[in-house]
């Protein structure tokens, strides 16, 4: 039998789903900060740029450490690194929660609070990035060249779903306290770490002469346009996600209408907006994309246009139900655009390189979130509507490009 038809280390369907669950937990643990941390750090006396700077520094370190943790996973085993990474995320989020709670109670303030939050958050960026490269390597070993792109696509979808479910879950937990959503993400990460520890097989030493898919360079001309496209998209997403809680708190004057529980109200309202996006994303992903498998060239510009229209609508219509409907539109658009962009990037290379292309494209979200939140916070200080408008313009330009250029190219046959 051809070695390309035999997985190096097979996993059952349940075990593959566990890998996806791990990426969902990781995505939720990372993204929930945009709902909880943004309004509460403001209540603790920090400015918008200071908050964005804290999160950006940890994201930058996270992105830098991904390939290093990939090499560590090759040496000590993927399962160990995945379990360690989820535990590290849960524990560093717990430390961040305690530091933030101390700031809210006035125990630490000013520069001391900023330095404490930076110190704790940097440990997150240092210790938790291992899940992404380890899970991708495990999925690569568990698949063949024929189904590798689909397997890695599961992990990418898991991270995307988690990044929306995390803030959405904040809406359910916010009534129990402003910090309750962070506790929920901590419990989720630690619980999934325990599940991985019991469900995945023991690490099998890799034969020294076994062939490994070669990584693709970021400068590879086949993948580079798709990577730049996705990074640009996630810069726009980062601008909105960083500032949405502030936008809602200021637009609906929650500090005035909920003077005693303004932070909790901001978490709740923002969580509801993200919940609308999550419902639309999951419905489209599993109800349409997974069943119909549409041409990615056709749905990419449509998805981007919906995201652009959703941002414009959220800024234009003042009523909160209208904002929720706007984010339903954003969720629908993102469910069309992200899988389509990833599929086109993966298919731009040969079949044997699709796994490497998917791994490279997975770097787009953290790369975008290095720049997006900081840009969004800077624009927000100038005008509360600027991040939403700037993101709408950026995504709109990408939609035109996808329609005029990508949509007219022949579908790659990688």
């Amino acid at each position: 039998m051809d070695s390309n038809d035999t997985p190096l280390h097979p996993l059952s369907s349940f075990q593959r789903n566990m890998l996806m669950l791990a990426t969902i937990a990781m995505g939720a643990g990372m993204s929930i900060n945009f709902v909880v941390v943004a309004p509460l750090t403001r209540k603790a006396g920090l400015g918008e740029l200071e908050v964005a700077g804290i999160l950006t520094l940890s994201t930058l370190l996270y992105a830098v450490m991904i390939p290093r943790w990939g090499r560590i996973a090759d040496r000590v085993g993927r399962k160990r690194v995945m379990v360690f990474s989820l535990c590290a995320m849960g524990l560093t989020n717990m430390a961040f929660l305690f530091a933030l709670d101390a700031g809210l109670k006035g125990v630490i303030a000013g520069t001391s609070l900023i330095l404490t939050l930076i110190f704790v958050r940097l440990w997150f960026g240092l210790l938790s990035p291992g899940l992404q490269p380890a899970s991708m390597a495990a999925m690569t070993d568990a698949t063949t060249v024929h189904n590798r792109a689909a397997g890695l696509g599961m992990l990418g979808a898991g991270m995307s779903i988690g990044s929306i479910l995390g803030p959405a879950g904040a809406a359910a937990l916010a009534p129990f306290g402003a910090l309750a959503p962070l506790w929920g993400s901590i419990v989720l990460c630690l619980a999934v770490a325990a599940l991985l520890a019991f469900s995945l097989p023991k690490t099998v030493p890799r034969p020294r002469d076994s062939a490994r898919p070669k990584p693709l360079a970021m400068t590879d001309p086949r993948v580079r346009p798709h990577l730049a496209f996705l990074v640009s998209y996630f810069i726009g997403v980062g601008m909105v996600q960083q500032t949405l809680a502030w936008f809602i708190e200021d637009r609906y004057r929650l500090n005035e209408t909920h003077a005693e529980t303004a932070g909790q109200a901001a978490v709740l309202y923002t969580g509801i907006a993200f919940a609308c996006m999550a419902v639309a994303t999951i419905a489209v992903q599993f109800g349409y994309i997974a069943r119909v498998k549409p041409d990615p060239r056709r749905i990419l510009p449509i998805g981007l246009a919906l995201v652009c229209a959703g941002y414009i609508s959220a800024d234009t219509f003042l009523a909160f139900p209208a904002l929720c409907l706007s984010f339903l539109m954003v969720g629908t658009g993102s469910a069309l655009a992200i899988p389509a962009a990833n599929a086109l990037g993966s298919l731009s290379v040969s079949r044997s390189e699709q796994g490497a292309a998917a791994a490279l494209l997975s770097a787009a979200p953290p790369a975008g979130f290095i720049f997006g939140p900081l840009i969004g916070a800077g624009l927000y200080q100038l005008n509360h509507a600027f991040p939403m408008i700037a993101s709408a313009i950026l995504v709109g330009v990408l939609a035109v490009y996808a329609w005029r250029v990508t949509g007219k190219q022949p579908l790659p046959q990688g």
Side-chain angles (χ1 to χ4, degrees):
M1 180 181 292
D2 189 341
S3 61
N4 287 335
D5 295 325
T6 306
L8 189 61
H9 298 308
L11 294 176
S12 66
S13 296
F14 172 76
Q15 290 168 335
R16 293 188 196 184
N17 288 332
M18 287 302 305
L19 292 182
M20 184 178 180
L21 178 61
T23 60
I24 290 175
M26 175 68 77
M30 293 177 65
S31 63
I32 202 168
N33 290 289
F34 293 108
V35 178
V36 178
V37 175
L40 295 186
T41 45
R42 173 191 271 187
K43 190 176 180 182
L46 302 186
E48 286 87 355
L49 278 176
E50 292 169 330
V51 178
I54 292 170
L55 297 179
T56 297
L57 282 173
S58 67
T59 304
L60 176 60
L61 183 58
Y62 183 97
V64 169
M65 290 300 297
I66 284 178
R68 288 164 174 77
W69 273 106
R71 291 192 288 271
I72 293 172
D74 280 337
R75 290 200 305 269
V76 305
R78 283 71 182 273
K79 175 181 175 179
R80 293 170 183 167
V81 168
M82 285 187 278
V83 172
F84 175 85
S85 179
L86 284 168
C87 289
M89 169 165 280
L91 295 176
T92 53
N93 274 348
M94 188 184 299
F96 192 86
L97 182 152
F98 289 143
L100 181 56
D101 189 43
L104 291 171
K105 293 177 179 176
V107 177
I108 52 178
T111 303
S112 297
L113 176 59
I114 295 173
L115 292 177
T116 301
L117 292 176
I118 289 175
F119 176 77
V120 173
R121 191 67 184 170
L122 287 181
W123 280 106
F124 162 85
L126 183 67
L127 299 178
S128 62
L131 177 75
Q132 195 169 345
S135 61
M136 286 193 163
M139 186 65 79
T140 298
D141 285 349
T143 54
T144 68
V145 293
H146 304 290
N147 63 357
R148 186 162 295 144
L152 292 173
M154 284 178 58
L155 301 184
M159 187 70 77
S160 298
I161 292 170
S163 67
I164 298 172
L165 285 181
L173 295 175
F176 298 98
L179 292 173
L182 268 180
W183 278 117
S185 72
I186 291 165
V187 171
L188 176 62
C189 286
L190 296 178
V192 174
L195 288 173
L196 284 183
F198 286 103
S199 63
L200 293 185
K202 292 182 179 180
T203 298
V204 178
R206 173 175 297 280
R208 293 183 179 274
D209 59 348
S210 63
R212 285 284 297 162
K214 292 183 179 179
L216 290 175
M218 295 178 62
T219 55
D220 189 303
R222 298 168 297 173
V223 182
R224 184 176 57 207
H226 303 282
L227 181 61
F229 189 97
L230 280 165
V231 170
S232 300
Y233 174 82
F234 281 105
I235 287 174
V237 171
M239 285 193 284
V240 173
Q241 288 201 4
Q242 175 64 51
T243 57
L244 182 60
W246 299 328
F247 181 82
I248 289 175
E249 184 176 12
D250 293 333
R251 166 179 276 189
Y252 302 109
R253 299 181 179 179
L254 299 183
N255 283 324
E256 299 174 15
T257 58
H258 299 75
E260 297 298 321
T261 59
Q264 185 173 330
V267 172
L268 175 61
Y269 278 54
T270 309
I272 291 173
F274 273 106
C276 293
M277 189 162 63
V279 168
T281 298
I282 293 172
V284 173
Q285 176 67 42
F286 294 102
Y288 175 67
I289 300 294
R291 293 185 179 182
V292 179
K293 296 180 175 61
D295 185 339
R297 297 170 302 173
R298 182 173 62 85
I299 64 172
L300 178 58
I302 295 173
L304 293 168
L306 286 172
V307 173
C308 175
Y311 287 156
I312 293 173
S313 174
D315 180 62
T316 302
F317 300 104
L318 298 180
F320 184 70
L323 183 139
C324 292
L325 290 174
S326 299
F327 275 89
L328 275 171
M329 192 184 304
V330 172
T332 301
S334 64
L336 296 173
I338 296 175
N342 277 305
L344 289 170
S346 178
L347 290 171
S348 67
V349 299
S350 66
R351 176 172 288 178
S352 62
E353 296 174 301
Q354 286 184 7
L360 180 60
L361 294 171
S362 71
F369 274 83
I370 291 172
F371 304 102
L374 205 55
I375 295 171
L379 291 174
Y380 192 83
Q381 288 192 325
L382 298 176
N383 187 292
H384 294 174
F386 279 0
M388 203 83 73
I389 294 172
S391 185
I393 292 172
L394 176 57
V395 176
V397 170
L398 293 177
V400 173
Y401 177 85
W403 172 54
R404 298 286 296 174
V405 179
T406 307
K408 296 182 179 181
Q409 294 175 343
L411 187 66
Q413 299 298 320

